[in-house]
């Protein structure tokens, strides 16, 4: 079957010289070559299979296994334990559906663009062995941690994956940071935590709390720390207070394309250090540890608000949300952060937020002042309509730590895992002016939501910037537009489990051509966060890295001149392209 091409936007016409070897070709390494690699990596080489293979007729079919796989299919932490577990695949060639029902949508089950072999590394030595094997045998290489990436950057057709998840050299707390390399002076003398391998934020949040500390991590606890998150920017409910995830990194240990293990900090490989603080994962080297800043715990004032529209008052709620969005700059300046969302649930439109205000001053006066801002800016505006247009619930709660606030409510880790997203940075001006334009934008974003019962969508307002994020940090390479950002607006659209390729293409196209376009028009010249962005944005280089892009390419060329590391939508990937020939995936070939 020939599968129709998905959205093609601004696709350059390239000619190709040589390609990486694929499993169907003679140049693909022999079984004995793979065995030799396996011996070098202490038996940690895995030959991959699609996770949901038991759902499909043929060898390995098992009704019982299929049911278990389907039940766990949208649990990100469950997926992360598989070498081919990916949270948000852009292309799926073996979905956990009941294939015996034979709808014909997913006629085959194969690995698709997932790696063929995986080195389940437990140390830097295994990573170097994988890198050298890929170089020697002309096999495509990918780096994987949790597989949470939204732009398939930890995947690759016909690839060998080096998987860092099982590197577990421990978490180490320092009350006063001292650089690993004694000769490197540091301006920073606060607390630090060394994250020695493939840990997730849940591990580090718990560890930090045991030491009375806060770290900047994801809103989601299943995201990996040292991979795409820290290297690509990293935001969460504490970034407003302390800066972006990338801003927190004091040093990295990195395996280079040469296989050499180095330290990157202010003194050694300074350019690599800066590139790994914002330039993104998968392209500069393989990080095996990161040492990040930690801060003493603070009092946390939480505010939860839900506004449920009456069935005939959706349009009023969109109006109210536009008004609330206009108040975000005041809330951010008063110290609030967290995530707000406009969603459809069971036909009703709902605005909800769960914000936190981390208080250096925990006096009653300071707490009341923070409450007053929220009450006056938002709650009092809409209370008069409680019971006529909306049902409104508002509550404040004070916690004696960030950790207790964080654990007081659910986070987004699980749920539907076939989303597409588009996002945009909003500065103060684009939030507070032109309110009718904001209302139009919200109407565009929610359109198409809730039309199919299996499809849920969400418009998220991530108040993860402002505050300390506005201070440019030396030796970072995140999009400079972060330093003007107050809110990262994010539109998430899902496609139904049983969607065919045509249906999926439609959801993607509407997101890029209609919704993302509308966001860009309202926040011109801003850009967005590449880790939570629309991979089909034709302007991804400029939108995700702004003026830092060209410099990042120069660092890529210096540290990986042979393009050993390559990923789609990664810095410096122009010399190669995936040649799909009208299908969904294909070999990686050198552009001439
Ligand atoms: C459910 C969910 C919630 C999220 N919530 C947040 C959030 O709150 N805040 C936020 O900022 N982002 C969030 N994200 C986005 C997240 O930051 C990115 O998906 C990020 O790329 C994940 O990194 P990873 O290493 O866990 O994933 P992977 O998919 O394993 O890797 C991501 C990228 O990093 C590379 N990589 C991985 N490990 C290494 C390494 N050791 N060295 C070099 N390169 C490496 C990969 O090659 C790939 O390019 C969320 C994503 C999901 C799926
Ligand atoms: C690698 O070796 C281990 C231990 O001998 C074995 O269990 C595993 O199946 C091998 N992997 C491959 C891909 O052959
Ligand atoms: C798949 O559908 C068949 C036919 O209706 C049914 O017998 C089987 O139990 C289903 N399997 C799962 C995993 O739901
Ligand atoms: C990877 O290695 C770790 C550590 O040895 C082990 O616990 C885990 O089960 C392995 N994963 C797979 C999928 O083989
Ligand atoms: C450390 O301090 C020096 C002198 O104040 C400054 O020039 C440098 O940029 C600082 N480095 C970092 C990483 O903040
Ligand atoms: C919505 O319906 C309720 C009763 O069902 C009515 O009281 C209210 O006026 C209606 N509101 C609008 C805006 O039409
Ligand atoms: C929304 O607000 C605008 C002014 O801000 C007003 O003109 C319009 O009538 C409102 N719409 C609804 C449905 O309340
Ligand atoms: C809205 O009305 C409900 C029901 O009377 C009440 O429980 C709730 O506290 C009210 N919300 C606000 C913000 O006043
Ligand atoms: C307020 O801060 C002081 C000093 O940091 C601390 O001792 C006290 O426990 C805090 N109170 C609360 C309610 O958190
Ligand atoms: C980790 C996880 O979510 N496991 C679940 C997988 O599915 C089975 C069957 O529904 C559950 O019992 C597990 O808890």
């Amino acid at each position: 079957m020939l599968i129709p091409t998905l959205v093609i936007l601004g696709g350059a016409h390239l000619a190709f010289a040589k390609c990486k070897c694929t499993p169907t070709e003679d140049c693909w390494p022999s079984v004995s070559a793979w065995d030799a690699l396996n011996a070098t990596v202490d038996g940690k080489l895995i030959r991959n299979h699609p996770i949901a293979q038991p759902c499909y007729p043929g060898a390995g079919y098992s009704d019982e296994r299929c049911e278990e796989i389907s039940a766990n299919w949208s649990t990100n932490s469950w997926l992360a334990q598989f070498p081919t577990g990916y949270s948000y695949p852009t292309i799926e060639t073996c979905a956990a559906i009941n294939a015996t029902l034979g709808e014909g949508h997913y006629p085959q089950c194969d690995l698709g663009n997932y790696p063929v072999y995986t080195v389940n590394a437990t140390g830097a030595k295994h990573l170097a062995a994988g890198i050298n094997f890929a170089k020697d045998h002309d096999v495509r290489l990918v780096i994987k941690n949790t597989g949470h990436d939204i732009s398939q950057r930890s995947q690759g057709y016909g690839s060998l994956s080096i998987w860092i998840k099982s590197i577990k050299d421990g978490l180490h707390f320092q009350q006063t940071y001292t650089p690993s390399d004694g000769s490197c002076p540091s301006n920073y003398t606060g607390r630090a935590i060394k994250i020695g391998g493939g840990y997730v934020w849940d591990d580090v949040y718990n560890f930090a709390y045991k030491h009375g500390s806060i770290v900047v991590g994801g809103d989601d606890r299943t995201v990996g720390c040292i991979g795409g998150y820290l290297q690509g920017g990293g935001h969460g409910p504490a970034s407003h207070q302390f800066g972006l995830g990338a801003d927190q990194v004091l040093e990295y240990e990195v395996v280079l394309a040469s296989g050499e293990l180095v330290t990157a900090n202010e003194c050694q490989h300074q350019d690599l250090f800066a590139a790994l603080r914002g330039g993104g994962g998968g392209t500069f080297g393989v990080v095996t540890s990161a040492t990040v800043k930690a801060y003493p715990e603070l009092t946390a004032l939480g505010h939860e608000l839900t506004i449920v529209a009456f069935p005939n008052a959706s349009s009023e709620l969109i109006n109210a949300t536009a008004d609330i969005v206009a108040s975000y700059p005041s809330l951010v300046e008063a110290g609030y952060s967290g995530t707000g969302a406009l969603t459809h649930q069971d036909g009703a439109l709902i605005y909800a937020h769960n914000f936190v205000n981390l208080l250096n001053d925990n006096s009653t006066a300071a707490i009341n002042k923070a409450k007053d801002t929220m009450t006056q800016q938002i709650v009092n505006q809409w209370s008069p309509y409680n019971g006529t247009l909306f049902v409104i619930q508002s509550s404040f709660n004070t916690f004696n730590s960030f950790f207790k606030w964080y654990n007081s409510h659910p986070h987004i880790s699980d749920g539907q895992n076939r989303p597409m997203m588009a996002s945009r940075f909003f500065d103060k001006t684009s939030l507070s002016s032109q309110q009718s334009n904001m209302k139009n934008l919200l109407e565009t974003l929610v359109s198409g939501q809730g039309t199919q019962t299996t499809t849920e969508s969400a418009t998220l307002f991530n108040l993860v910037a402002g505050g300390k994020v506005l201070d440019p940090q030396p030796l970072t390479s995140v999009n400079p537009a972060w330093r003007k950002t107050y809110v990262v607006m994010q539109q998430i659209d899902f496609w139904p489990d049983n969607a065919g390729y045509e249906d999926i293409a439609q959801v993607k196209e509407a997101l890029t051509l209609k919704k993302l376009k509308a966001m860009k028009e309202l926040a011109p010249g801003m850009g967005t966060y590449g880790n939570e962005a629309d991979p089909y944005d034709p302007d991804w280089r400029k939108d995700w890295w702004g003026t830092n892009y060209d410099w990042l390419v120069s660092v890529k060329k210096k540290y990986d001149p042979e393009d050993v590391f390559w990923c789609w939508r990664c810095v410096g990937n122009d010399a190669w392209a995936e040649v799909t020939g009208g299908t969904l995936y294909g070999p990686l070939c050198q552009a001439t």
Side-chain angles (χ1 to χ4, degrees):
M1 191 191 93
L2 194 68
I3 298 154
T5 320
L6 300 175
V7 205
I8 300 172
L9 290 161
H13 294 281
L14 302 164
F16 299 99
K18 71 173 198 135
C19 302
K20 299 278 182 189
C21 283
T22 59
T24 58
E25 291 174 295
D26 292 342
C27 57
W28 185 252
S30 63
V31 171
S32 62
W34 289 110
D35 285 345
L37 171 62
N38 199 9
T40 329
V41 298
D42 305 315
K44 302 299 285 180
L45 185 70
I46 300 168
R47 164 93 194 165
N48 293 326
H49 298 284
I51 299 169
Q53 198 159 44
C55 297
Y56 290 75
Y61 177 80
S62 159
D63 234 34
E64 211 178 312
R65 274 293 292 147
C66 180
E67 259 169 57
E68 195 194 321
I69 292 162
S70 304
N72 291 291
W73 197 238
S74 52
T75 305
N76 290 309
S77 54
W78 182 84
L79 284 169
Q81 30 156 11
F82 295 94
T84 55
Y86 292 99
S87 294
Y88 291 176
T90 53
I91 297 164
E92 203 168 29
T93 51
C94 189
I97 52 156
N98 191 343
T100 60
L101 295 178
E103 296 283 321
H105 286 310
Y106 290 99
Q108 86 284 40
C109 163
D110 59 41
L111 276 172
N113 69 353
Y114 292 179
V116 185
Y117 283 91
T118 291
V119 173
N120 184 13
T122 55
K125 183 183 107 179
H126 295 157
L127 299 173
I131 291 169
N132 289 331
F133 182 90
K135 282 195 286 198
D136 293 347
H137 296 270
D138 242 341
V139 168
R140 183 172 174 184
L141 184 72
V142 299
I143 309 167
K144 181 182 188 268
N145 181 11
T146 64
H148 275 46
D149 202 78
I150 286 147
S151 299
Q152 65 182 56
R153 291 179 290 195
S154 43
Q155 306 169 26
Y157 167 65
S159 64
L160 167 64
S161 165
I162 43 181
W163 193 22
I164 65 130
K165 188 184 158 58
S166 294
I167 298 177
K168 291 282 162 73
D169 291 336
L171 301 171
H172 308 276
F173 179 77
Q174 285 186 302
Q175 187 68 34
T176 302
Y177 169 65
T178 37
S180 64
D181 130 31
S183 63
C184 184
S186 176
N187 294 1
Y188 178 76
T189 53
R191 301 175 182 193
I193 291 174
K194 179 176 178 182
I195 305 169
Y199 297 90
V200 296
W201 287 115
D202 189 48
D203 303 321
V204 180
Y205 283 151
N206 282 287
F207 178 80
Y209 181 65
K210 283 195 195 114
H211 293 275
S213 300
I214 311 179
V215 289
V216 174
D219 179 62
D220 185 283
R221 54 175 94 237
T222 69
V223 175
C225 309
I226 69 169
Y229 180 93
L230 286 178
Q231 296 174 47
H235 69 68
S239 47
H240 167 85
Q241 183 81 15
F242 303 114
L244 292 171
D247 297 342
Q248 313 304 315
V249 181
L250 295 157
E251 53 187 280
Y252 282 118
E253 286 175 291
V254 193
V255 177
L256 303 178
S258 62
E260 188 193 354
L261 176 68
V262 301
T263 295
N265 61 13
E266 263 185 76
C267 304
Q268 303 177 55
H269 305 288
Q270 199 191 65
D271 48 3
L272 180 64
F273 179 59
L276 293 172
R277 296 208 309 162
T283 192
F284 301 103
V286 194
V287 168
T288 59
S289 81
T291 304
V292 297
K293 294 179 181 177
Y295 306 90
E297 266 291 6
L298 293 170
T299 296
L301 170 68
H303 181 248
E304 281 183 63
L305 178 69
T306 53
I307 308 180
V308 183
F310 278 26
N312 57 0
S314 290
S315 161
E316 283 77 3
L317 184 56
I318 288 174
N319 251 14
T321 304
D323 208 77
I324 291 171
V325 168
S327 297
Y328 282 157
S330 326
L331 296 183
V332 169
E333 280 166 7
Y336 284 98
S337 67
T339 298
L342 187 61
T343 52
H344 270 286
Q345 276 166 34
D346 305 324
L349 193 62
I350 301 176
Y351 170 87
H353 74 218
N354 205 318
F355 289 162
V356 67
N357 202 324
L358 295 172
L359 297 161
N360 291 310
D361 174 0
N362 67 7
S363 66
T364 309
I367 292 172
N368 285 342
K369 184 161 173 268
K371 285 183 181 174
D372 285 349
T373 305
M374 181 62 77
T375 305
Q376 282 158 17
Q377 292 284 330
I378 313 269
V379 184
N380 288 353
Q381 304 285 322
W382 303 104
S383 299
Y385 305 100
N386 191 15
T388 57
L389 293 176
F390 312 131
V391 177
I392 304 177
Q393 298 293 339
S394 166
S395 62
F396 289 102
N397 277 297
T398 309
F399 302 85
N400 62 13
S401 65
F402 168 78
F403 185 76
K404 288 197 177 138
W405 170 78
Y406 182 82
N407 284 324
S408 71
H409 60 279
H411 299 266
I412 56 164
S413 54
D414 302 328
Q416 264 179 302
N417 67 342
R418 265 67 199 144
M420 288 306 300
M421 62 181 78
S423 62
R424 193 74 180 166
F425 289 149
F426 280 76
D427 62 355
K428 203 172 166 174
T429 316
S430 50
L431 288 169
S432 31
S433 63
Q434 303 168 310
Q435 207 175 319
S436 60
N437 293 348
M438 180 58 71
K439 191 192 146 201
N440 291 341
L441 172 62
L442 296 177
E443 266 164 6
T444 303
L445 296 180
V446 304
S447 68
Q449 284 190 11
T451 49
Q452 286 163 294
T453 47
T454 46
T455 310
E456 294 285 340
S457 297
T459 305
L460 301 186
F461 309 101
N462 298 299
L463 271 66
V464 292
K468 189 77 174 154
V469 174
L470 301 178
D471 297 346
Q473 297 299 310
L475 302 178
T476 58
S477 53
V478 297
N479 189 341
W482 264 118
R483 310 305 181 186
K484 295 186 287 185
T485 298
Y486 274 61
V487 174
V488 185
M489 207 181 286
Q490 193 184 355
Q491 177 62 30
I492 307 182
D493 287 346
F494 300 93
W495 65 81
D497 281 346
N498 59 355
Y501 291 113
E502 298 279 358
D503 304 324
I504 295 173
Q506 269 178 23
V507 175
K508 289 182 178 179
E509 229 162 54
L511 191 66
T512 308
L513 302 179
K514 208 174 87 187
K515 298 186 176 184
L516 178 61
K517 182 169 169 276
M519 285 196 263
K520 288 187 183 195
E521 279 167 6
L522 205 52
M526 288 300 288
T528 194
Y529 175 39
N531 273 348
E532 292 180 327
D534 177 6
Y536 301 97
D537 179 355
D539 302 320
W540 61 276
R541 294 178 184 81
K542 179 166 123 317
D543 277 349
W544 301 1
W545 287 286
T547 51
N548 284 333
Y549 187 77
D550 292 343
W551 179 81
L552 284 165
V553 171
S554 73
V555 180
K556 163 71 175 173
K557 289 211 168 104
K558 176 177 168 188
Y559 284 92
D560 184 18
E562 292 168 60
D563 294 320
V564 174
F565 305 115
W566 190 93
C567 34
W568 194 59
R569 298 304 184 243
C570 290
V571 164
N573 69 358
D574 301 81
W576 297 77
E578 289 168 312
V579 179
T580 59
T583 56
L584 290 172
Y585 50 84
L588 182 63
C589 299
Q590 202 163 22
T592 55

